[in-house]
Amino acid sequence: YSVKLYSCMHKRGQLTIFIIIAIFIVGAVLIFFLYQKNFQFGALSPDAERVYNFVQSCIEQESLETIYQVGQNGGYFFPPNLSTESGVPIYYENGQNNMPSKEQVEDEISFYMNQKLFFCTRNFVDFPDLEINQSEINTKTIIQDEKVVLNVNYPITIIKDSDKTLIKDFKFDVPVRMGIVYDSAEEFMRQQINQESICLSCMLEISEKNDLFVDMLDYDDETVVFIFRDENSKIKDETFVWIFANKYEII
């Protein structure tokens, strides 16, 4: 009987410990989120909301400009070293495919978004009535078929009198088919590696399959510029384009 009683008391003791631990964890989480006063978990004060909307508008403005420029430069914000004199990146030369990976393009967008956002907010000089402290900006870009997702971690502490608010998580989806355009150019380049000249039938098949237009321009005797146009994607009424060049041996 005493053994059974001990076993029962032991199990009750274990259960009590687990309940105490669970209550402690839940309480700690609630205290953390109440302290942070994050936008997702409660309404912002009017002052914090002003700052939040200001930063969000910067994100939207800079993301549109950045993504359009990256498309024009074939996946780069500024032309890479291997480019034509006019700044068009060269993907194909001497049998080598130099097209940037999708991950590299995402990193390119993220890096320049971080830089441009800092200058867009201008150290919050438009809010002289508030004390605003900001931390490092960290943008995560995800290129999807029909949109580009930007998740921006931008910790900003807004202080006025005794009120202190932290905002940090921002998001914006740019409705351009960058993933489809990129994949189309990548497919064309994969087929190009096995060709000594331009595969026109490949280009036609890819453009029809993905509802794109492809223009070709002779840059010089050995260089051809390709412009992948997506009339389904507009940024400020401008058609989204992806531009690059290939060099071919003169036969």
Side-chain angles (χ1 to χ4, degrees):
Y1 176 78
S2 61
V3 174
K4 291 182 179 179
L5 179 60
Y6 171 78
S7 176
C8 182
M9 292 177 64
H10 181 67
K11 290 180 179 178
R12 287 179 181 175
Q14 287 181 324
L15 181 60
T16 301
I17 292 173
F18 287 140
I19 292 173
I20 292 172
I21 292 173
I23 293 173
F24 175 79
I25 292 174
V26 172
V29 171
L30 288 174
I31 291 172
F32 172 79
F33 285 126
L34 287 173
Y35 177 78
Q36 295 287 2
K37 296 182 181 179
N38 204 322
F39 181 66
Q40 281 89 358
F41 297 91
L44 288 174
S45 67
D47 289 323
E49 188 171 4
R50 280 195 297 138
V51 176
Y52 185 93
N53 291 337
F54 171 71
V55 174
Q56 183 67 28
S57 66
C58 267
I59 290 171
E60 295 178 12
Q61 171 188 319
E62 299 301 339
S63 63
L64 293 174
E65 294 177 1
T66 300
I67 287 171
Y68 189 80
Q69 183 163 336
V70 166
Q72 281 191 317
N73 290 332
Y76 302 93
F77 189 80
F78 292 116
N81 292 331
L82 185 59
S83 301
T84 65
E85 290 184 1
S86 60
V88 179
I90 297 172
Y91 281 4
Y92 178 79
E93 185 178 25
N94 299 323
Q96 297 294 318
N97 183 356
N98 302 297
M99 182 179 184
S101 68
K102 188 176 290 185
E103 291 73 20
Q104 287 176 306
V105 178
E106 290 173 338
D107 290 343
E108 188 85 354
I109 294 171
S110 296
F111 177 81
Y112 284 101
M113 274 297 296
N114 294 342
Q115 312 306 311
K116 295 181 73 178
L117 273 178
F118 178 79
F119 289 103
C120 181
T121 55
R122 297 183 301 155
N123 205 29
F124 298 98
V125 295
D126 293 333
F127 301 89
D129 57 322
L130 303 174
E131 179 184 345
I132 299 177
N133 301 317
Q134 57 185 316
S135 298
E136 183 180 0
I137 306 170
N138 185 14
T139 302
K140 173 68 176 177
T141 303
I142 304 171
I143 297 175
Q144 299 181 358
D145 283 354
E146 301 198 0
K147 63 182 178 181
V148 180
V149 179
L150 292 106
N151 293 303
V152 182
N153 182 262
Y154 190 179
I156 302 165
T157 303
I158 302 127
I159 303 171
K160 186 174 184 180
D161 299 328
S162 61
D163 187 28
K164 182 177 181 180
T165 306
L166 171 68
I167 57 176
K168 59 180 180 178
D169 295 320
F170 302 85
K171 182 180 179 182
F172 184 55
D173 295 348
V174 182
V176 294
R177 302 194 311 159
M178 180 179 272
I180 291 175
V181 175
Y182 176 91
D183 290 343
S184 300
E186 184 183 43
E187 183 179 353
F188 173 70
M189 290 305 302
R190 285 199 308 268
Q191 296 172 348
Q192 178 63 76
I193 293 299
N194 301 316
Q195 304 279 339
E196 293 295 332
S197 58
I198 302 172
C199 179
L200 295 176
S201 61
C202 302
M203 186 181 301
L204 179 62
E205 179 183 353
I206 293 169
S207 62
E208 288 182 344
K209 178 175 65 175
N210 296 311
D211 193 18
L212 299 173
F213 295 90
V214 182
D215 301 319
M216 294 188 303
L217 303 172
D218 289 331
Y219 182 79
D220 56 34
D221 291 341
E222 58 180 6
T223 308
V224 178
V225 173
F226 297 89
I227 304 172
F228 281 60
R229 288 189 292 117
D230 182 19
E231 295 294 340
N232 301 291
S233 299
K234 303 281 186 179
I235 294 182
K236 295 183 178 179
D237 296 325
E238 293 286 341
T239 300
F240 180 73
V241 295
W242 192 274
I243 305 175
F244 62 93
N246 287 347
K247 279 195 170 186
Y248 300 94
E249 293 183 7
I250 301 175
I251 301 175

